[in-house]
Amino acid sequence: MITKLSHASIFVLDQDKALDFYVNKLGFQKKMDMPMGPGMRWLTVGPEKQDLEIVLMPVVPGMIDEETVGQVKTLLTKGVMGAGVFETDNCRATYNELKAKGVQFKSEPKEQPYGIEALFSDGVGNWFSLTEHPKTAK
Amino acid sequence: MITKFSHSTLYVSNQDKALDFYVNKLGFQKRMDYTNENGFRWLTVGSKDQPDIDIVLMPVMSGPGMRFSKEEAAQMQVLLEKGLLSGGVFETSNCRAMFEELKAKGVRFEGEPTDAPWGVQCTLTDGVGNWYSVLEPKAQTWNK
Amino acid sequence: MIKMERRKQDAATLSALYKRIIEAKALMDVHPEASLDLDQIADAACFSRYHFLRLFKKTYHKTPHQYLTGQRIERAKSLMADSNLTITDICYAIGFESVGSFSTLFKKHVGCPPLEFRERLWKLNTLLKEQPLAVIPHCFAAMCGLEESPEKKAILDNTVSDTTY
């Protein structure tokens, strides 16, 4: 039976720039980096202590269907495709740290009933909640 | 620092069919299911062996306040109906057994499980726009 | 040529073997509440008890008993979410004979007793209905017309930045 999701995909326009963002700005580990053909790599990143890997999927023929490439690029740059949630042990500290590194935030840390949340973008249409849950329960 | 990724977004062409696939075929849990007055349905699922990650089954909708314009929603819907997007990778304890079980439940696969240096793998679709690799990692491969 | 034929035969044998294990698993999936013992399940799959135990564990990394217990707990959780049955009724509905042992096992698997789990679930569902923004992460809420906020305007104005990529 299927036991878990081991890799989640995020579309990116440029794998090198995406790698720089997720590793040098967000502080993720590069987990896998393997050539797969002209202009594309199997490139995955993720938080150090999490098994789940995030696939930085380039929008190129080969990785996705050729006729789809143009459409996905357009949808991605318009910011309609990507959303996800990252958890943090300290939203305000992480917000300050990431902001200093040039990460674009759409909102500052704000108290929500489920914790403290800020919203940020990776600059290419994917944007995320950064959520600190209360220590007692999720 | 960022400690983990907790919600992964998956666009689906039809949420009811998606729910049937992930819950009744893959055996996932339905985690949240709420529909607001605009008709937007917040629907998440996940594996019982992975309680800390939710997969958001995101509909493609346009309308007041929605992110997609009518045109963008139509484009996205076409991409999904053609099954042109990648959902990610699942892990399994036994790829060939999983293949037999899900095939019998009507799940569509591309070819059959094959051996690779990193394990046994196959490819399936959720039928609502997304393709997945399913991998039985090498350490767990049954020695034949 | 002979090697290929042999591989084809091996694959066919393996496939047939898996189909039988899957039948046994299906019995536990569809009727986790039925009082089935290992011999009955093994019989249904036309295996000896020992052979079935070994194959099941190798395939699913759990013994059939562990798997069946897990399925029963999941069924209990669904009944708590979707019905007004009492905890006692749920206990018997999923095939347990004692509320005490069900509660202990439930707590071991889920991390809290059945009643506490149910209360948390009901609270969450109520919150979701009455204040969805208290539950749904705002990156999704803003995308889907659930709120009007300055953040939402910023998101709607989202463009590719020159400073990133």
Side-chain angles (χ1 to χ4, degrees):
Chain A
M1 57 202 170
I2 286 179
T3 48
K4 61 181 188 177
L5 183 71
S6 62
H7 294 69
S9 297
I10 291 179
F11 282 118
V12 300
L13 291 176
D14 182 311
Q15 284 185 304
D16 285 325
K17 290 179 178 173
L19 185 65
D20 176 62
F21 177 84
Y22 285 93
V23 170
N24 297 326
K25 296 200 161 103
L26 295 200
F28 287 6
Q29 279 183 337
K30 180 170 74 170
K31 307 246 182 180
M32 192 73 91
D33 190 351
M34 263 177 17
M36 289 200 58
M40 55 183 174
R41 298 131 79 178
W42 177 252
L43 180 60
T44 71
V45 296
E48 188 194 329
K49 295 203 170 122
Q50 190 177 31
D51 289 340
L52 176 84
E53 295 181 36
I54 297 166
V55 183
L56 302 180
M57 189 80 85
V59 187
V60 293
M63 279 297 203
I64 57 174
D65 187 85
E66 186 148 2
E67 74 176 278
T68 306
V69 166
Q71 288 179 39
V72 173
K73 273 188 178 165
T74 306
L75 289 170
L76 189 59
T77 51
K78 279 186 179 179
V80 296
M81 285 200 78
V85 180
F86 287 114
E87 285 186 9
T88 173
D89 48 5
N90 188 318
C91 188
R92 290 191 170 94
T94 306
Y95 165 80
N96 287 324
E97 185 189 335
L98 298 188
K99 204 141 194 270
K101 289 180 177 180
V103 174
Q104 284 178 13
F105 276 84
K106 300 301 181 182
S107 73
E108 296 182 353
K110 209 164 134 183
E111 294 275 352
Q112 303 292 354
Y114 45 82
I116 303 171
E117 183 186 41
L119 299 178
F120 73 91
S121 164
D122 70 357
V124 69
N126 296 303
W127 47 280
F128 301 99
S129 278
L130 176 69
T131 303
E132 175 192 342
H133 290 289
K135 301 288 183 279
T136 45
K138 188 176 170 177
Chain B
M1 60 182 188
I2 292 178
T3 49
K4 62 180 189 176
F5 193 47
S6 65
H7 289 68
S8 176
T9 305
L10 201 65
Y11 284 102
V12 295
S13 58
N14 182 306
Q15 282 178 305
D16 285 330
K17 288 182 181 171
L19 187 65
D20 176 61
F21 175 82
Y22 288 94
V23 170
N24 298 329
K25 297 200 161 99
L26 294 203
F28 281 13
Q29 295 169 326
K30 180 171 76 168
R31 301 253 170 99
M32 292 212 193
D33 192 352
Y34 158 78
T35 304
N36 87 329
E37 62 237 6
N38 290 340
F40 167 70
R41 184 179 181 189
W42 172 247
L43 182 61
T44 71
V45 296
S47 164
K48 47 186 169 292
D49 293 324
Q50 201 174 33
D52 56 340
I53 293 174
D54 277 37
I55 298 170
V56 182
L57 303 179
M58 218 36 185
V60 176
M61 291 175 75
S62 62
M66 304 270 179
R67 190 63 190 97
F68 285 110
S69 68
K70 217 169 169 181
E71 194 189 52
E72 285 158 0
Q75 277 184 341
M76 196 69 183
Q77 192 69 10
V78 169
L79 292 179
L80 290 171
E81 276 160 15
K82 285 184 178 178
L84 296 173
L85 300 180
S86 163
V89 182
F90 286 125
E91 197 171 287
T92 175
S93 51
N94 188 304
C95 194
R96 290 186 166 94
M98 178 229 45
F99 172 78
E100 294 296 342
E101 184 178 355
L102 295 191
K103 210 173 57 159
K105 287 182 175 181
V107 173
R108 206 170 114 218
F109 286 84
E110 187 183 76
E112 297 199 350
T114 52
D115 290 294
W118 45 84
V120 185
Q121 67 185 17
C122 65
T123 306
L124 59 78
T125 174
D126 64 7
V128 283
N130 303 287
W131 285 88
Y132 291 94
S133 283
V134 187
L135 176 67
E136 173 192 339
K138 187 85 182 180
Q140 292 163 204
T141 302
W142 187 347
N143 289 320
K144 299 180 185 63
Chain C
M1 195 62 160
I2 295 172
K3 249 189 187 168
M4 251 175 68
E5 273 308 307
R6 165 63 70 82
R7 262 196 229 124
K8 266 191 195 162
Q9 274 176 16
D10 287 346
T13 307
L14 209 54
S15 171
L17 211 61
Y18 284 134
K19 282 176 180 158
R20 284 155 64 192
I21 296 172
I22 286 158
E23 266 183 46
K25 179 176 167 290
L27 203 58
M28 292 187 272
D29 288 339
V30 174
H31 295 292
E33 74 287 353
S35 51
L36 300 162
D37 65 27
L38 185 58
D39 288 321
Q40 285 172 305
I41 302 171
D43 266 350
C46 305
F47 284 115
S48 72
R49 179 194 170 99
Y50 169 73
H51 197 194
F52 173 63
L53 191 60
R54 195 179 64 88
L55 286 174
F56 193 96
K57 181 133 195 235
K58 205 154 190 182
T59 306
Y60 297 114
H61 303 178
K62 294 176 186 182
T63 64
H65 178 74
Q66 286 167 336
Y67 182 76
L68 181 61
T69 303
Q71 290 301 91
R72 285 179 166 174
I73 299 291
E74 287 301 311
R75 179 67 66 90
K77 284 156 91 179
S78 295
L79 288 172
M80 284 179 211
D82 301 332
S83 79
N84 290 323
L85 292 172
T86 62
I87 300 295
T88 306
D89 286 340
I90 290 173
C91 160
Y92 296 133
I94 60 165
F96 279 87
E97 290 176 2
S98 139
V99 176
S101 43
F102 164 62
S103 296
T104 306
L105 198 64
F106 189 93
K107 187 175 175 183
K108 187 178 164 195
H109 277 255
V110 176
C112 65
L115 203 58
E116 189 183 319
F117 176 82
R118 178 176 236 172
E119 277 166 5
R120 276 198 215 162
L121 202 59
W122 281 355
K123 253 190 207 161
L124 178 67
N125 286 334
T126 305
L127 202 56
L128 193 52
K129 279 187 201 123
E130 292 172 3
Q131 296 176 64
L133 292 176
V135 180
I136 300 172
H138 279 217
C139 60
F140 296 106
M143 277 177 101
C144 304
L146 286 177
E147 64 170 13
E148 282 294 331
S149 66
E151 288 84 57
K152 185 183 163 187
K153 289 206 161 116
I155 286 156
L156 291 174
D157 289 341
N158 182 45
T159 51
V160 176
S161 161
D162 289 333
T163 60
T164 50
Y165 58 97

